[in-house]
Amino acid sequence: MAANGKAKKIVIVGGSFGGVNAAYALRRALGARAEITVVSREPTFTFFPALPLVILGWREPNRVQVALDKPLSRRRIRLVHGEATALDASASEVITAHGRFGYDFLIIASGAELDYAAVPGLGPAGGNTHSTFSLDEAVGARDALARALSAERGRIVIGAAPGASCIGPAYEIPLMVDALLRKRRRRHRFNLRFLTPEPFLGHFGIGGVGKFPRLIADEFAERDIEVTTSARIVEAQAGRLVLADGTQAPFDFSLVIPAFQGGPFVRSVDGLANPRGFVPVTSELKSARLDNVYAVGVAVAIAPVGPTPVPVGVPKTGHLTEQMACAAAHNIACDIKGGPKVDGLTLPGICIMDGGNTGYYFSAEPFLPPRNRVVHKKGKWSRQLKLLFEKYYLARIRYDLPSLHFGW
Ligand SMILES: Cc1cc2nc3c(=O)[nH]c(=O)nc-3n(C[C@H](O)[C@H](O)[C@H](O)COP(=O)(O)OP(=O)(O)OC[C@H]3O[C@@H](n4cnc5c(N)ncnc54)[C@H](O)[C@@H]3O)c2cc1C
């Protein structure tokens, strides 16, 4: 098809939840009518939701990644392992160290950069806190946590920086540490503290979901995890976090989720991204600025649901990202073949939080308020469901198994 010039060139920047799902959905929707290229900084897909398990030492690091080359080449999707350094929008070309890649359609699925620099001393690279946004970070956190937990006593402080938008893992880790210490009958020797920019527990950057905030607040109280909400962490010194109100949180181990910001690639075209580096889109997920450019997942700009005393970002979860990827692929197929487009912004969301010895499930439809339907439950079954989902998802990326969400 490419030889007779009919196949459309589609380039996707990013090879994670957004990029891989978009590539698979495009191949299904367009078959030989598309020449698909994924430009990915990473040669592997990482199942991020399993990184808290790695940190607790409950999952081998080599079990949470899938090398992208074979699964993509089986679907005749070209993988360019490298960084997209800039976008030449007037020539419709993505610029990389391996050359320029022309496109008829571009999908930006490049997530975000981690803004450790916003808080002096934050982050594992030369800073004083750990993090969980790559396998290396998780392994570093695992080793440091194991050392801290082997001491006679200790203070574990988990938190999120102002503006953070992926706070879920920061909830899971103290709950998991609590479960581990209780199992070892050493919980009484450790102080667990949770610092969050959210105005209340269970806000998650989406204004909370039904009565879930009460459920999760009861759970933290039950487990004696000390909570500070509307926490504005301003500095991470060696062994203590400093808050804007002058209070301090001393620690023997600390992990803090940073805020996100867009990288140089999305900033290389004037007006493509907002000042934080996120891409404003229409309901079709098309760039508000460029007609043949779509964006999905973390890269998309979504305004906060309302003001909060300390900024909290809207999470673009893995589940939302996958749905956006399928919606963008569908809408590009409609650009090419015709047909009715779908709304890629008003989507339902499902979250499952692993509490170490139980789990917490909620679904919200749509994800952002006001909503038509919410469900929330606690139970060991939901933890098992998340563990099963991990196996399914890694197999899904390996073999392009059908998506569990029904729609496009
Ligand atoms: C510890 C942790 C736990 C989580 N748990 C859950 C959960 O339980 N449930 C859930 O739904 N979600 C969860 N999430 C969120 C989920 O992982 C994200 O929503 C998802 O990863 C977003 O996918 P994305 O493709 O938009 O961005 P990303 O996953 O950030 O991927 C972007 C990719 O693009 C690459 N890239 C960036 N810039 C360039 C460039 N210029 N050139 C080439 N490549 C580039 C990056 O290296 C990266 O591989 C979790 C996240 C973390 C970190």
Side-chain angles (χ1 to χ4, degrees), residues 10-13 35-39 77-80 101-102:
I10 304 173
V11 175
I12 300 166
V13 176
E35 213 181 280
I36 306 168
T37 301
V38 172
V39 181
I77 297 164
R78 175 165 53 173
L79 173 66
V80 176
F101 294 88

Side-chain angles (χ1 to χ4, degrees), residues 13-19 39-42 48-49 51-52 82-84 109-113 132-133 166 169 265 296-299 316-319 321 352 386:
V13 176
S16 181
F17 283 78
V39 181
S40 176
R41 200 193 272 155
E42 318 296 334
F48 291 111
L51 293 187
E83 173 118 12
S110 51
E113 309 293 322
T132 179
F133 286 90
C166 181
F265 171 70
V296 301
V298 170
K316 290 131 238 177
T317 63
H319 180 231
T321 299
I352 304 178
K386 184 159 183 167

